[in-house]
Structure formats: C-alpha cells, structure tokens
Amino acid sequence: MDKVTLSKPYLLDSSDLTKEDLYKIFHRADFFMQNFKVGNKFDDLKGFIVALAFFEDSTRTKLSFELAAKSLSAEIFSFQAKSSSLSKGESILDTFKTIEAMGVNIYVVRHGSSGIPLFLQNNTDGSVINAGDGKHEHPTQGLLDAFTIIRKLGRIEGMKICIVGDILHSRVARSNIQILNTLGAEVALCAPGTLLPFYPKEWNVKIIDNLDDAIEWAEVVMALRLQRERMESGLLPTMREFSNYYGINIEHFRRKPDLVLMHPGPVNYGLELDYLVNEYSNVMIQTQVTHGVFVRMALLSLIGKTMNKEKNAFANLFDM
Ligand code: CP
C-alpha cells in the first residue's frame, strides 16, 4: 500500500475518499498531532502556493487551513471575495484564472453555491479542496469529525451516531453521512420532518423521531447549526419550538453522562444547545476545532504528494 498518496489529487466531495484514503489521512493527522510545535515547519508543501478562496464567511475552516498550509511551508494566498474585482462584474472563472496565472497550485474553496469546487476543478491543472459548497458538502468537516470520534472512543466501525437538527440544509450532514457509512458506523437522523431530506432511505440512515429516543440509542450525537441563511420561511413554527423539541440541554447529560456530543460550529446557543452543556468533558466542540488543524495538515500533505506523484508519472512518459 502506498502510504503517502490518495486515490485522487483533489477533494470535491466525500465520495472521492476510499476507506483506505480516510485511514491514511487519520494516520498522518495523528503524526502531525504528536509532532506539531508552533514555529517548527514541516516541508511537505515546500514549493506549493495555496489559495484560500472563501466566497462565503468562515472562522474555523479558513483559519485552520491557513495554519495548516503555513505549517507545511506553503506560500499562502488569501483571496477576499468581498474586496475583489468580482464586485466589478468579473466572473468566477476569470477570477480563478487570474489567481492561477500567479502560480497557485492548490485551491481551498468555499462558496455559497453547490458545485463551484467541481466547476473550478474542471478548469484547472491544479487541485481544488472543497471547504464547503452551498448545501452540498463540507468534506474536511466530515474528516475532522470522524477523526475526533476515533480519538475519543478508539474506533468508529459499528458505532451508533445520530445527527440532530437541520439536516436538510446541512453540507456537514451530507459529508458526515458519507464518511461515517464508508467507515462502517450506524447512522441515524433526528429532526423535524420539514428539516429532513426528501429521500432519507437512499442515504443509508435510520430516522428517529424523538430526541430522547435518539440520545438513548446513540453513542455519539452530532448537533447541527440551524442554517437560517439557507432556509425558506415557514419550515419551523417558531425557534422556541425547535429548541424545546430538538435542543440538547443539561437534562440530557444528567440522564446520560457518558454521551459524546459534537457540533461543527458556529453554535446558536439557546437553540441547538444549552450553553451549560459545555461543563461536560464529553462535549467535543473545542477538540473538533483543534483536530481540524491536524486533519487539514494531513489532507494538504497527502494531496501535495499525490500531485507530485502524478506530475512525475507524466514526466516519465516523455523520458521513455
Ligand atoms: N464548521 C465550520 O465550517 O465553521 P466555519 O464556518 O467557521 O468555517
């Protein structure tokens, strides 16, 4: 087995990753976690220019990709959509070609429209990493969530994991379901009917209607942010009703103190979670953020090596 390359030199959605790819990423992330020291750089991305192209707001994903790429000795190019020539009518493809002309070879892209990373990948010789596209996918969140479960509980295969809340609008849910299924976890969804996908059976998940039943069943609960910016009106009677029926509070932990609770952030406290749940050590929200740096370092490192392997294979064709 080639330990240092992935099946594909890019990451557009979670189906790009085989089970073998996932464990390679986790193994490398473990290595970085053990050996990371602020100021000490690894040279995995020496000679690469990484563009952070965020067309939608982000705190965790953008900062952790920036720290990850810097720690691997890449040059960083931080593209600010809001202050760019997009405001003068330049198209996204021309914007991208302009960045490419400056020598960028890895693009970390977040965009409000599903499919933009795929569109960009189809128009470059470089590699695109999807950092969240519309309601479609957020594969590096799925990676860091799976890594967090494995580090916390020692395994993931056969684990019972329930995703709670706004599944319909969530790219995090789509990525997690795909990755958790690939890794052999049992996945359930718990949400108001209006926030469930239309054909959940195709996702290989079970549906649990009631939050108390979901918490009793699950070893890990992943709460999601209510994506109000993507939500049509009328899907929920009131926010208070959502919080009463689907918000996770201290009572749930009193009944099940060993519950492992995750949330990708940002959290709407008072809606999805009661702030007091942070008293419990099994609440993984900050750990998820920390793991995000090491998982993104691992992904960037392996993508860089996969790109180099493909480049060398191409060069060798002409040496024959
Ligand atoms: N979880 C997540 O994607 O957070 P940001 O929007 O802050 O990057």
Side-chain angles (χ1 to χ4, degrees):
M1 180 173 85
D2 181 349
K3 286 191 182 148
V4 294
T5 59
L6 299 174
S7 315
K8 296 180 180 170
Y10 52 78
L11 178 56
L12 305 178
D13 62 47
S14 306
S15 65
D16 288 328
L17 298 167
T18 62
K19 190 171 181 177
E20 199 175 59
D21 288 331
L22 293 168
Y23 280 109
K24 281 184 198 175
I25 294 167
F26 300 150
H27 187 263
R28 191 91 185 122
D30 256 330
F31 168 81
F32 285 129
M33 223 173 145
Q34 305 305 327
N35 294 287
F36 179 84
K37 284 197 185 72
V38 178
N40 281 5
K41 293 194 177 183
F42 301 87
D43 63 3
D44 302 42
L45 286 190
K46 220 177 185 116
F48 284 84
I49 306 178
V50 176
L52 303 172
F54 279 66
F55 298 85
E56 209 187 53
D57 294 341
S58 166
T59 300
R60 294 151 198 78
T61 313
K62 184 161 188 278
L63 292 179
S64 60
F65 263 117
E66 188 169 345
L67 181 56
K70 276 184 183 155
S71 303
L72 298 174
S73 307
E75 297 294 330
I76 314 285
F77 210 88
S78 199
F79 170 77
Q80 301 293 341
K82 282 178 187 149
S83 56
S84 74
S85 289
L86 283 164
S87 65
K88 301 173 202 159
E90 189 164 37
S91 72
I92 187 160
L93 184 58
D94 281 343
T95 302
F96 193 66
K97 289 284 171 201
T98 303
I99 298 173
E100 184 155 54
M102 297 180 201
V104 168
N105 25 36
I106 298 179
Y107 304 84
V108 178
V109 179
R110 171 170 286 192
H111 201 284
S113 298
S114 304
I116 292 289
L118 170 65
F119 171 70
L120 297 178
Q121 183 63 60
N122 287 340
N123 284 283
T124 180
D125 294 327
S127 289
V128 175
I129 298 176
N130 181 356
D133 62 331
K135 291 187 262 184
H136 173 227
E137 279 236 23
H138 189 354
T140 61
Q141 182 70 45
L143 281 172
L144 76 89
D145 288 344
F147 181 70
T148 300
I149 293 169
I150 293 171
R151 284 198 59 91
K152 174 74 180 166
L153 298 167
R155 68 185 175 93
I156 202 159
E157 195 162 351
M159 303 275 324
K160 292 178 174 165
I161 298 163
C162 187
I163 305 177
V164 176
D166 183 2
I167 319 282
L168 183 66
H169 303 96
S170 176
R171 55 196 179 202
V172 172
R174 284 168 181 76
S175 292
N176 263 304
I177 290 166
Q178 172 75 35
I179 288 174
L180 294 171
N181 274 325
T182 302
L183 295 171
E186 242 187 285
V187 185
L189 308 178
C190 177
T194 48
L195 295 184
L196 278 171
F198 298 127
Y199 305 106
K201 285 215 168 72
E202 289 178 14
W203 292 16
N204 193 22
V205 291
K206 63 188 269 174
I207 306 295
I208 304 178
D209 295 329
N210 177 288
L211 181 61
D212 288 338
D213 294 343
I215 288 177
E216 198 180 316
W217 175 84
E219 288 151 288
V220 178
V221 167
M222 290 180 173
L224 297 174
R225 182 172 70 84
L226 272 180
Q227 310 255 314
R228 284 180 282 186
E229 74 276 24
R230 297 185 223 284
M231 202 180 278
E232 292 161 29
S233 62
L235 289 180
L236 290 172
T238 63
M239 291 298 153
R240 179 185 292 201
E241 192 165 308
F242 174 84
S243 151
N244 282 345
Y245 285 99
Y246 295 96
I248 296 168
N249 60 43
I250 204 88
E251 279 309 316
H252 295 118
F253 277 88
R254 289 204 178 111
R255 288 202 290 272
K256 190 168 181 178
D258 61 347
L259 175 71
V260 174
L261 177 67
M262 300 171 67
H263 191 301
V267 181
N268 293 304
Y269 284 107
L271 266 181
E272 301 119 23
L273 304 182
D274 180 343
Y275 193 79
L276 292 176
V277 300
N278 284 302
E279 287 172 14
Y280 282 83
S281 62
N282 283 345
V283 176
M284 307 305 292
I285 299 169
Q286 296 304 319
T287 308
Q288 286 169 266
V289 175
T290 306
H291 287 170
V293 176
F294 300 114
V295 164
R296 288 175 176 126
M297 281 177 81
L299 177 70
L300 285 168
S301 162
L302 291 165
I303 281 193
K305 289 178 198 304
T306 310
M307 289 169 77
N308 281 339
K309 186 180 166 191
E310 293 206 343
K311 203 162 76 184
N312 291 339
F314 188 69
N316 287 341
L317 278 178
F318 295 98
D319 286 345
M320 284 165 64

